[in-house]
Amino acid sequence: MIDLHMHSSYSADAEFTPSVLAKMCAEQGVTLMAVTDHNSARANTEAREAAKERGIAYLSGIEIDCLFEDTALHMLGYGIDERDAGFRELEEQFYRQSREASRKMLDKTLELGFCVTEEELEAAAEDSLWPGVWTGEMFAEVLLGKPEYDGHPGLLPYREGGARSENPCLNFYWDFYGPGKPCHVPLCFPSFEQILDLIHQTRGLAVLAHPGMNLKGKEHLLEPMVKLGLDGIEAFSSYHDPGQAAGFLERAGREGLFVTCGSDFHGKTKPAVHLGGHGCTLPEEQIREEIMEGGHFQAEINRQEIEKLGSYV
């Protein structure tokens, strides 16, 4: 059991501390874990110590927002030196932007006719390590928890049995605060090339997160990213069905990328996502060797696994 994509309370939209994540991983039988918080490497020290106490191998990680040819991507960095000043500067830049964006998101939410206050949002963010930052999931938590909105037609899809109820707070975020939506407030993301350089300069490996989401309809972008130095791809993800995983396995072998597996576990904001729930069928030893002990970036893809997954297409 390996899970190389999970978020701690150092991500504004996640629930559990790094130590609690290590405890949960131990209970789930996870033997290799990585905490990959949004634009922050701070969790790694605590997570590494907690994992060690529970006999779990640990790989330092981060997930960074960036842009490539006007497409927003999530880049995973593994084996990074989290003490590098570049990660502190990156987090400070995102923090300043996110605080400013939070107030604008509140204004746009009020313009839609919803009633929500700063005090209610601060209560929802009580356990967050990003003071003053309110995520779209927090707006959802507040609004869905208001008795006066029990029958509100705009919120019915996110309630039990509704079309968007599987991950209600996350879906609310995408539907109201995502790009092109009425409450969206854009942030200034660094470029793919900048983040690639940062990860490599800190002795890390750069892996494209959940490409089935990030590259949907733009799969052609993978080739130029590989030419620039992309090291790996998250072929196995909670968001990929077996057919998609098969396709990314084949593509990884063709492009000379190694593959990783990650659930993208957050806790309450993504209740349908579970630790270890990425569906990886490659041998654990292969993942470990490629990422932790391999001195190269070439992936030896298990062709039998590709054929097995391809049968689901």
Side-chain angles (χ1 to χ4, degrees):
M1 281 286 288
I2 293 175
D3 196 334
L4 299 180
H5 190 166
M6 64 187 75
H7 293 267
S8 79
S9 46
Y10 284 94
S11 290
D13 58 351
E15 181 178 4
F16 300 106
T17 66
S19 295
V20 171
L21 282 178
K23 177 177 181 292
M24 295 172 70
C25 283
E27 292 170 347
Q28 294 293 321
V30 172
T31 59
L32 171 60
M33 65 179 285
V35 175
T36 53
D37 283 311
H38 295 298
N39 310 305
S40 174
R42 283 190 290 161
N44 284 288
T45 301
E46 178 184 342
R48 182 181 294 106
E49 289 302 313
K52 182 178 179 181
E53 290 174 3
R54 298 184 180 277
I56 300 173
Y58 187 79
L59 185 64
S60 58
I62 191 171
E63 184 178 30
I64 305 174
D65 291 285
C66 61
L67 282 177
F68 184 67
E69 297 188 10
D70 296 323
T71 298
L73 303 172
H74 288 180
M75 183 74 73
L76 294 160
Y78 291 118
I80 59 170
D81 179 1
E82 69 267 18
R83 299 164 299 179
D84 191 274
F87 293 118
R88 292 196 299 273
E89 294 170 5
L90 178 82
E91 181 173 356
E92 289 169 3
Q93 292 169 8
F94 272 98
Y95 178 56
R96 287 195 299 269
Q97 289 191 74
S98 298
R99 277 182 60 92
E100 295 175 4
S102 294
R103 273 68 191 171
K104 295 177 182 178
M105 289 162 63
L106 174 58
D107 291 340
K108 288 175 177 286
T109 305
L110 296 175
E111 289 173 5
L112 290 182
F114 288 117
C115 180
V116 58
T117 67
E118 289 191 18
E119 291 73 20
E120 290 170 329
L121 290 165
E122 284 297 299
E126 180 180 8
D127 297 325
S128 172
L129 298 177
W130 289 53
V133 173
W134 309 321
T135 67
E137 292 90 343
M138 291 176 187
F139 280 92
E141 183 179 342
V142 171
L143 292 173
L144 291 170
K146 285 176 170 284
E148 60 266 38
Y149 289 145
D150 281 350
H152 192 289
L155 299 179
L156 289 179
Y158 310 96
R159 301 198 183 277
E160 186 174 358
R164 304 286 284 162
S165 62
E166 184 180 32
N167 287 306
C169 291
L170 175 66
N171 288 330
F172 187 90
Y173 157 73
W174 281 116
D175 295 345
F176 285 86
Y177 302 90
K181 304 303 180 180
C183 299
H184 178 63
V185 178
L187 300 183
C188 182
F189 290 164
S191 71
F192 170 87
E193 292 87 346
Q194 288 174 304
I195 298 309
L196 196 67
D197 287 345
L198 174 61
I199 292 172
H200 285 164
Q201 288 169 9
T202 58
R203 300 188 295 278
L205 302 176
V207 174
L208 181 63
H210 38 65
M213 292 180 64
N214 280 173
L215 293 185
K216 189 174 183 179
K218 298 183 178 182
E219 291 79 4
H220 64 281
L221 294 180
L222 184 58
E223 184 177 353
M225 285 191 282
V226 172
K227 290 180 178 178
L228 287 169
L230 181 70
D231 302 310
I233 189 170
E234 189 178 53
F236 295 95
S237 167
S238 298
Y239 314 119
H240 296 169
D241 61 33
Q244 288 176 302
F248 289 124
L249 275 172
E250 190 278 331
R251 188 75 186 271
R254 185 153 36 97
E255 301 285 359
L257 301 171
F258 67 77
V259 298
T260 65
C261 50
S263 64
D264 197 17
F265 178 76
H266 282 67
K268 65 182 180 181
T269 59
K270 296 185 179 182
V273 174
H274 307 285
L275 281 171
H278 44 66
C280 182
T281 57
L282 293 179
E284 178 177 333
E285 294 78 10
Q286 180 176 335
I287 300 292
R288 282 177 176 270
E289 181 180 355
E290 288 179 5
I291 298 172
M292 299 193 75
E293 291 139 22
H296 57 86
F297 301 149
Q298 293 290 345
E300 283 293 333
I301 300 301
N302 187 323
R303 295 297 172 184
Q304 291 181 346
E305 294 299 333
I306 293 177
E307 292 173 4
K308 182 191 302 181
L309 289 169
S311 67
Y312 290 94
V313 178

